[in-house]
Amino acid sequence: MTKGNRKFNEGLLLESKEKRLDFFNNYTVSHPKLEKALIELKKSIYSPENFNVIMIVGPSGVGKSRLFEQTLISVSKDMAEEMEQDRSIIPITGIELPNPDLGKFNWKDFYYRVLSSLKEPLIDCKIDVHKNVGNKNKKKVDTQKAETAPELRRSIEKAFLNRKTKALLIDEAQHFFDVGTAVKMQRQFNSIKSLSNMANTKIVLFGTYELNAVINLDGQLSRRVHEIHFPRYDYSKAEEIKMFKNMLYSFQRALPIKEEPNLVKLHEYIYENSIGCAGIVKNWLQRCLSEAIDNNEESITIKNLERNAMNTKKLLTLAKEANSGELDFIESKEDREELKALLGTKEIKTTKQTRKGTATPGKRKPERDAVG
Ligand SMILES: Nc1ncnc2c1ncn2[C@@H]1O[C@H](COP(=O)(O)OP(=O)(O)OP(=O)(O)O)[C@@H](O)[C@H]1O
Ligand SMILES: [Mg+2]
């Protein structure tokens, strides 16, 4: 253990289990994949270009919800000065989509949630959010009143315009599209797009690779989305192993336990049991820390890690899902060949690397940024 290098004061070790767990739960490692996705997303939110719908896509447990929180905080910080001058500004807001009942998406509930999010104080920002949302002179918007969906939607459009809201973040956005047919999915997408156009607010959808399937349904949809990939670490790349080890080093220093555990040394084992996802590592370490404190252990041992690891079947499912989702972000040689055949073009030398993929042939790819 490197003394003096830990992320907490020694006094924390004498505190209650709850406080120690809270400290670790609240600790965020700003590792390169998270940072890159955040930079790319903020660039896209601030950019005046016409991609009003942005998608953040990544495997389960990579840290999408953490990125969602970091984006709310970071944009609010960026805008702090402007907000100080004009206290009516709410630059960014976010909601989590619930799982729809019986495959039917409830727009009214969605609008209520968005309006309510505008009434909640933003982290680090002193805004009188109980002032009327969206209309500075008239009555408050009461989200509990029985307005119709179109009325609620107009309230949101007005609120976003008046509050100069740059972005609405939506976590678990794949639930937008749990509606059955491709035509219905397209309609859902068009409603989101139209809300963002009317309100002049970027809508950011955070979700798993299921979101990809939706936009790949249709060339027009895919052209209208700016997609940002938030991938896990790739163990076949030396530089990514290094990044993963650095991330583990940050986590090990933030664990409030007497002896700093040497997670870096166990990087291959930890990679295999987290499929290279920061969020899976974090949740696993939370379980280990809780157990170590209960058992009065001085450090986090390999035995503890083993007892609290996810089971192999679950990991295998996650790894397969991640693997097939990632293929959509890799230039496929077959797709390129099919495109050439369709267009009658010849071989052109480019620097792009290609790999065999499973992307559906004949489907146009969206605007994509492979982060990482
Ligand atoms: N960089 C990080 N530093 C600290 N904690 C993190 C980091 N990334 C993720 N976590 C934590 O790990 C847990 C899992 O991550 P998160 O929920 O963000 O993953 P996700 O990609 O949203 O997963 P899902 O697809 O299941 O919703 C959460 O408790 C989250 O706060
Ligand atoms: Mg999540």
mmCIF file of all heavy atoms in Angstrom, residues 16-45:
data_model
loop_
_atom_site.group_PDB
_atom_site.id
_atom_site.type_symbol
_atom_site.label_atom_id
_atom_site.label_comp_id
_atom_site.label_asym_id
_atom_site.label_seq_id
_atom_site.Cartn_x
_atom_site.Cartn_y
_atom_site.Cartn_z
ATOM 1 N N SER A 16 -18.755 4.761 10.665
ATOM 2 C CA SER A 16 -19.697 3.641 10.533
ATOM 3 C C SER A 16 -19.568 2.989 9.162
ATOM 4 O O SER A 16 -19.067 3.597 8.205
ATOM 5 C CB SER A 16 -21.130 4.143 10.699
ATOM 6 O OG SER A 16 -21.439 5.027 9.641
ATOM 7 N N LYS A 17 -20.090 1.770 9.080
ATOM 8 C CA LYS A 17 -20.077 1.050 7.810
ATOM 9 C C LYS A 17 -20.797 1.882 6.740
ATOM 10 O O LYS A 17 -20.321 2.020 5.610
ATOM 11 C CB LYS A 17 -20.783 -0.301 7.996
ATOM 12 C CG LYS A 17 -20.954 -1.072 6.712
ATOM 13 C CD LYS A 17 -21.684 -2.377 6.905
ATOM 14 C CE LYS A 17 -21.940 -3.021 5.563
ATOM 15 N NZ LYS A 17 -22.763 -4.223 5.623
ATOM 16 N N GLU A 18 -21.940 2.458 7.147
ATOM 17 C CA GLU A 18 -22.751 3.228 6.194
ATOM 18 C C GLU A 18 -21.945 4.374 5.565
ATOM 19 O O GLU A 18 -21.974 4.585 4.359
ATOM 20 C CB GLU A 18 -23.958 3.769 6.949
ATOM 21 C CG GLU A 18 -25.104 4.152 6.039
ATOM 22 C CD GLU A 18 -26.202 4.873 6.803
ATOM 23 O OE1 GLU A 18 -26.146 4.968 8.045
ATOM 24 O OE2 GLU A 18 -27.101 5.379 6.107
ATOM 25 N N LYS A 19 -21.216 5.099 6.438
ATOM 26 C CA LYS A 19 -20.434 6.244 5.934
ATOM 27 C C LYS A 19 -19.335 5.782 4.983
ATOM 28 O O LYS A 19 -19.053 6.430 3.973
ATOM 29 C CB LYS A 19 -19.825 7.025 7.098
ATOM 30 C CG LYS A 19 -20.828 7.906 7.788
ATOM 31 C CD LYS A 19 -20.166 9.125 8.396
ATOM 32 C CE LYS A 19 -21.231 10.100 8.870
ATOM 33 N NZ LYS A 19 -20.981 10.624 10.216
ATOM 34 N N ARG A 20 -18.712 4.664 5.352
ATOM 35 C CA ARG A 20 -17.619 4.168 4.496
ATOM 36 C C ARG A 20 -18.161 3.720 3.142
ATOM 37 O O ARG A 20 -17.580 4.008 2.094
ATOM 38 C CB ARG A 20 -16.874 3.030 5.205
ATOM 39 C CG ARG A 20 -16.042 3.574 6.372
ATOM 40 C CD ARG A 20 -15.697 2.483 7.359
ATOM 41 N NE ARG A 20 -14.631 1.610 6.846
ATOM 42 C CZ ARG A 20 -14.169 0.564 7.526
ATOM 43 N NH1 ARG A 20 -14.688 0.251 8.710
ATOM 44 N NH2 ARG A 20 -13.208 -0.175 7.018
ATOM 45 N N LEU A 21 -19.311 3.019 3.196
ATOM 46 C CA LEU A 21 -19.910 2.577 1.927
ATOM 47 C C LEU A 21 -20.348 3.776 1.098
ATOM 48 O O LEU A 21 -20.135 3.823 -0.122
ATOM 49 C CB LEU A 21 -21.118 1.669 2.183
ATOM 50 C CG LEU A 21 -20.812 0.258 2.699
ATOM 51 C CD1 LEU A 21 -22.103 -0.511 2.930
ATOM 52 C CD2 LEU A 21 -19.922 -0.526 1.729
ATOM 53 N N ASP A 22 -20.952 4.764 1.776
ATOM 54 C CA ASP A 22 -21.409 5.968 1.063
ATOM 55 C C ASP A 22 -20.246 6.649 0.352
ATOM 56 O O ASP A 22 -20.368 7.083 -0.788
ATOM 57 C CB ASP A 22 -22.004 6.993 2.044
ATOM 58 C CG ASP A 22 -23.482 6.741 2.262
ATOM 59 O OD1 ASP A 22 -24.015 5.834 1.596
ATOM 60 O OD2 ASP A 22 -24.076 7.431 3.106
ATOM 61 N N PHE A 23 -19.122 6.735 1.072
ATOM 62 C CA PHE A 23 -17.960 7.387 0.453
ATOM 63 C C PHE A 23 -17.601 6.685 -0.855
ATOM 64 O O PHE A 23 -17.426 7.312 -1.896
ATOM 65 C CB PHE A 23 -16.741 7.382 1.394
ATOM 66 C CG PHE A 23 -15.504 7.842 0.704
ATOM 67 C CD1 PHE A 23 -15.246 9.199 0.562
ATOM 68 C CD2 PHE A 23 -14.620 6.932 0.118
ATOM 69 C CE1 PHE A 23 -14.124 9.643 -0.145
ATOM 70 C CE2 PHE A 23 -13.506 7.363 -0.587
ATOM 71 C CZ PHE A 23 -13.256 8.721 -0.713
ATOM 72 N N PHE A 24 -17.498 5.365 -0.785
ATOM 73 C CA PHE A 24 -17.088 4.628 -1.986
ATOM 74 C C PHE A 24 -18.161 4.700 -3.077
ATOM 75 O O PHE A 24 -17.848 4.879 -4.255
ATOM 76 C CB PHE A 24 -16.754 3.175 -1.639
ATOM 77 C CG PHE A 24 -16.186 2.421 -2.820
ATOM 78 C CD1 PHE A 24 -14.950 2.772 -3.341
ATOM 79 C CD2 PHE A 24 -16.908 1.411 -3.433
ATOM 80 C CE1 PHE A 24 -14.423 2.110 -4.459
ATOM 81 C CE2 PHE A 24 -16.396 0.733 -4.542
ATOM 82 C CZ PHE A 24 -15.151 1.088 -5.059
ATOM 83 N N ASN A 25 -19.439 4.609 -2.673
ATOM 84 C CA ASN A 25 -20.514 4.676 -3.677
ATOM 85 C C ASN A 25 -20.488 5.997 -4.429
ATOM 86 O O ASN A 25 -20.748 6.046 -5.633
ATOM 87 C CB ASN A 25 -21.890 4.507 -3.015
ATOM 88 C CG ASN A 25 -22.039 3.143 -2.379
ATOM 89 O OD1 ASN A 25 -21.197 2.262 -2.564
ATOM 90 N ND2 ASN A 25 -23.100 2.953 -1.605
ATOM 91 N N ASN A 26 -20.198 7.070 -3.703
ATOM 92 C CA ASN A 26 -20.219 8.394 -4.342
ATOM 93 C C ASN A 26 -18.949 8.699 -5.130
ATOM 94 O O ASN A 26 -18.897 9.684 -5.850
ATOM 95 C CB ASN A 26 -20.417 9.493 -3.289
ATOM 96 C CG ASN A 26 -21.788 9.390 -2.673
ATOM 97 O OD1 ASN A 26 -22.737 8.953 -3.325
ATOM 98 N ND2 ASN A 26 -21.907 9.757 -1.406
ATOM 99 N N TYR A 27 -17.952 7.885 -4.958
ATOM 100 C CA TYR A 27 -16.679 8.155 -5.630
ATOM 101 C C TYR A 27 -16.778 7.848 -7.134
ATOM 102 O O TYR A 27 -17.264 6.785 -7.526
ATOM 103 C CB TYR A 27 -15.565 7.306 -4.970
ATOM 104 C CG TYR A 27 -14.258 7.424 -5.689
ATOM 105 C CD1 TYR A 27 -13.496 8.581 -5.585
ATOM 106 C CD2 TYR A 27 -13.800 6.393 -6.507
ATOM 107 C CE1 TYR A 27 -12.309 8.705 -6.279
ATOM 108 C CE2 TYR A 27 -12.620 6.502 -7.196
ATOM 109 C CZ TYR A 27 -11.876 7.668 -7.088
ATOM 110 O OH TYR A 27 -10.716 7.780 -7.784
ATOM 111 N N THR A 28 -16.348 8.809 -7.943
ATOM 112 C CA THR A 28 -16.353 8.593 -9.405
ATOM 113 C C THR A 28 -14.926 8.564 -9.927
ATOM 114 O O THR A 28 -14.147 9.476 -9.648
ATOM 115 C CB THR A 28 -17.103 9.733 -10.129
ATOM 116 O OG1 THR A 28 -18.443 9.760 -9.649
ATOM 117 C CG2 THR A 28 -17.138 9.531 -11.633
ATOM 118 N N VAL A 29 -14.580 7.534 -10.681
ATOM 119 C CA VAL A 29 -13.280 7.509 -11.356
ATOM 120 C C VAL A 29 -13.474 8.137 -12.717
ATOM 121 O O VAL A 29 -14.304 7.676 -13.502
ATOM 122 C CB VAL A 29 -12.786 6.062 -11.596
ATOM 123 C CG1 VAL A 29 -11.452 6.072 -12.320
ATOM 124 C CG2 VAL A 29 -12.683 5.296 -10.311
ATOM 125 N N SER A 30 -12.716 9.196 -13.017
ATOM 126 C CA SER A 30 -12.875 9.713 -14.383
ATOM 127 C C SER A 30 -11.869 9.023 -15.288
ATOM 128 O O SER A 30 -10.796 9.521 -15.545
ATOM 129 C CB SER A 30 -12.790 11.230 -14.472
ATOM 130 O OG SER A 30 -11.999 11.764 -13.657
ATOM 131 N N HIS A 31 -12.256 7.856 -15.734
ATOM 132 C CA HIS A 31 -11.372 7.055 -16.598
ATOM 133 C C HIS A 31 -11.565 7.477 -18.061
ATOM 134 O O HIS A 31 -12.569 8.125 -18.406
ATOM 135 C CB HIS A 31 -11.645 5.562 -16.383
ATOM 136 C CG HIS A 31 -13.055 5.156 -16.672
ATOM 137 N ND1 HIS A 31 -13.434 4.660 -17.884
ATOM 138 C CD2 HIS A 31 -14.175 5.195 -15.917
ATOM 139 C CE1 HIS A 31 -14.732 4.396 -17.849
ATOM 140 N NE2 HIS A 31 -15.201 4.713 -16.665
ATOM 141 N N PRO A 32 -10.606 7.144 -18.930
ATOM 142 C CA PRO A 32 -10.613 7.686 -20.303
ATOM 143 C C PRO A 32 -11.889 7.441 -21.115
ATOM 144 O O PRO A 32 -12.327 8.327 -21.839
ATOM 145 C CB PRO A 32 -9.425 6.983 -20.966
ATOM 146 C CG PRO A 32 -8.544 6.570 -19.855
ATOM 147 C CD PRO A 32 -9.402 6.338 -18.666
ATOM 148 N N LYS A 33 -12.508 6.280 -20.985
ATOM 149 C CA LYS A 33 -13.709 6.014 -21.795
ATOM 150 C C LYS A 33 -14.848 6.939 -21.381
ATOM 151 O O LYS A 33 -15.610 7.417 -22.219
ATOM 152 C CB LYS A 33 -14.160 4.557 -21.646
ATOM 153 C CG LYS A 33 -13.131 3.550 -22.083
ATOM 154 C CD LYS A 33 -13.282 3.209 -23.544
ATOM 155 C CE LYS A 33 -12.237 2.200 -23.964
ATOM 156 N NZ LYS A 33 -12.068 2.079 -25.387
ATOM 157 N N LEU A 34 -14.970 7.151 -20.076
ATOM 158 C CA LEU A 34 -16.010 8.045 -19.554
ATOM 159 C C LEU A 34 -15.729 9.482 -19.992
ATOM 160 O O LEU A 34 -16.612 10.190 -20.481
ATOM 161 C CB LEU A 34 -16.054 7.939 -18.020
ATOM 162 C CG LEU A 34 -16.989 8.895 -17.289
ATOM 163 C CD1 LEU A 34 -18.445 8.534 -17.546
ATOM 164 C CD2 LEU A 34 -16.741 8.858 -15.774
ATOM 165 N N GLU A 35 -14.471 9.888 -19.843
ATOM 166 C CA GLU A 35 -14.078 11.249 -20.192
ATOM 167 C C GLU A 35 -14.333 11.547 -21.672
ATOM 168 O O GLU A 35 -14.869 12.582 -22.022
ATOM 169 C CB GLU A 35 -12.591 11.467 -19.884
ATOM 170 C CG GLU A 35 -12.302 11.639 -18.413
ATOM 171 C CD GLU A 35 -13.075 12.790 -17.808
ATOM 172 O OE1 GLU A 35 -12.854 13.929 -18.228
ATOM 173 O OE2 GLU A 35 -13.929 12.540 -16.931
ATOM 174 N N LYS A 36 -13.931 10.588 -22.516
ATOM 175 C CA LYS A 36 -14.093 10.795 -23.959
ATOM 176 C C LYS A 36 -15.555 10.907 -24.332
ATOM 177 O O LYS A 36 -15.944 11.767 -25.131
ATOM 178 C CB LYS A 36 -13.469 9.624 -24.730
ATOM 179 C CG LYS A 36 -12.041 9.884 -25.139
ATOM 180 C CD LYS A 36 -11.585 8.769 -26.045
ATOM 181 C CE LYS A 36 -10.372 9.147 -26.852
ATOM 182 N NZ LYS A 36 -9.912 8.074 -27.713
ATOM 183 N N ALA A 37 -16.374 10.035 -23.753
ATOM 184 C CA ALA A 37 -17.800 10.069 -24.062
ATOM 185 C C ALA A 37 -18.396 11.393 -23.586
ATOM 186 O O ALA A 37 -19.215 12.000 -24.283
ATOM 187 C CB ALA A 37 -18.517 8.888 -23.411
ATOM 188 N N LEU A 38 -17.956 11.861 -22.412
ATOM 189 C CA LEU A 38 -18.476 13.125 -21.872
ATOM 190 C C LEU A 38 -18.085 14.302 -22.765
ATOM 191 O O LEU A 38 -18.915 15.165 -23.081
ATOM 192 C CB LEU A 38 -17.967 13.326 -20.437
ATOM 193 C CG LEU A 38 -18.412 14.604 -19.727
ATOM 194 C CD1 LEU A 38 -19.925 14.670 -19.580
ATOM 195 C CD2 LEU A 38 -17.769 14.719 -18.344
ATOM 196 N N ILE A 39 -16.836 14.329 -23.201
ATOM 197 C CA ILE A 39 -16.369 15.431 -24.064
ATOM 198 C C ILE A 39 -17.154 15.433 -25.374
ATOM 199 O O ILE A 39 -17.648 16.460 -25.831
ATOM 200 C CB ILE A 39 -14.850 15.308 -24.324
ATOM 201 C CG1 ILE A 39 -14.082 15.633 -23.036
ATOM 202 C CG2 ILE A 39 -14.392 16.217 -25.468
ATOM 203 C CD1 ILE A 39 -12.609 15.285 -23.077
ATOM 204 N N GLU A 40 -17.279 14.247 -25.959
ATOM 205 C CA GLU A 40 -17.979 14.138 -27.243
ATOM 206 C C GLU A 40 -19.445 14.546 -27.103
ATOM 207 O O GLU A 40 -19.994 15.253 -27.947
ATOM 208 C CB GLU A 40 -17.866 12.687 -27.730
ATOM 209 C CG GLU A 40 -18.356 12.430 -29.130
ATOM 210 C CD GLU A 40 -17.626 13.242 -30.176
ATOM 211 O OE1 GLU A 40 -16.388 13.316 -30.126
ATOM 212 O OE2 GLU A 40 -18.317 13.808 -31.029
ATOM 213 N N LEU A 41 -20.038 14.128 -26.006
ATOM 214 C CA LEU A 41 -21.453 14.458 -25.788
ATOM 215 C C LEU A 41 -21.630 15.961 -25.581
ATOM 216 O O LEU A 41 -22.526 16.576 -26.177
ATOM 217 C CB LEU A 41 -21.992 13.672 -24.577
ATOM 218 C CG LEU A 41 -23.424 14.005 -24.147
ATOM 219 C CD1 LEU A 41 -24.404 13.848 -25.312
ATOM 220 C CD2 LEU A 41 -23.865 13.098 -22.997
ATOM 221 N N LYS A 42 -20.770 16.562 -24.775
ATOM 222 C CA LYS A 42 -20.914 18.003 -24.531
ATOM 223 C C LYS A 42 -20.686 18.799 -25.804
ATOM 224 O O LYS A 42 -21.373 19.776 -26.081
ATOM 225 C CB LYS A 42 -19.955 18.441 -23.421
ATOM 226 C CG LYS A 42 -20.555 18.168 -22.051
ATOM 227 C CD LYS A 42 -19.691 18.533 -20.877
ATOM 228 C CE LYS A 42 -18.876 19.763 -21.012
ATOM 229 N NZ LYS A 42 -18.087 20.055 -19.826
ATOM 230 N N LYS A 43 -19.730 18.343 -26.599
ATOM 231 C CA LYS A 43 -19.467 19.025 -27.881
ATOM 232 C C LYS A 43 -20.740 18.993 -28.740
ATOM 233 O O LYS A 43 -21.128 19.992 -29.337
ATOM 234 C CB LYS A 43 -18.318 18.288 -28.596
ATOM 235 C CG LYS A 43 -17.649 19.110 -29.659
ATOM 236 C CD LYS A 43 -16.429 18.383 -30.194
ATOM 237 C CE LYS A 43 -16.644 17.986 -31.625
ATOM 238 N NZ LYS A 43 -15.733 16.952 -32.113
ATOM 239 N N SER A 44 -21.376 17.869 -28.734
ATOM 240 C CA SER A 44 -22.582 17.696 -29.535
ATOM 241 C C SER A 44 -23.754 18.520 -28.977
ATOM 242 O O SER A 44 -24.548 19.075 -29.737
ATOM 243 C CB SER A 44 -22.909 16.206 -29.540
ATOM 244 O OG SER A 44 -23.773 15.900 -30.545
ATOM 245 N N ILE A 45 -23.845 18.607 -27.651
ATOM 246 C CA ILE A 45 -24.925 19.402 -27.035
ATOM 247 C C ILE A 45 -24.740 20.887 -27.362
ATOM 248 O O ILE A 45 -25.689 21.588 -27.684
ATOM 249 C CB ILE A 45 -24.959 19.186 -25.493
ATOM 250 C CG1 ILE A 45 -25.480 17.782 -25.172
ATOM 251 C CG2 ILE A 45 -25.810 20.238 -24.795
ATOM 252 C CD1 ILE A 45 -25.414 17.397 -23.692
#
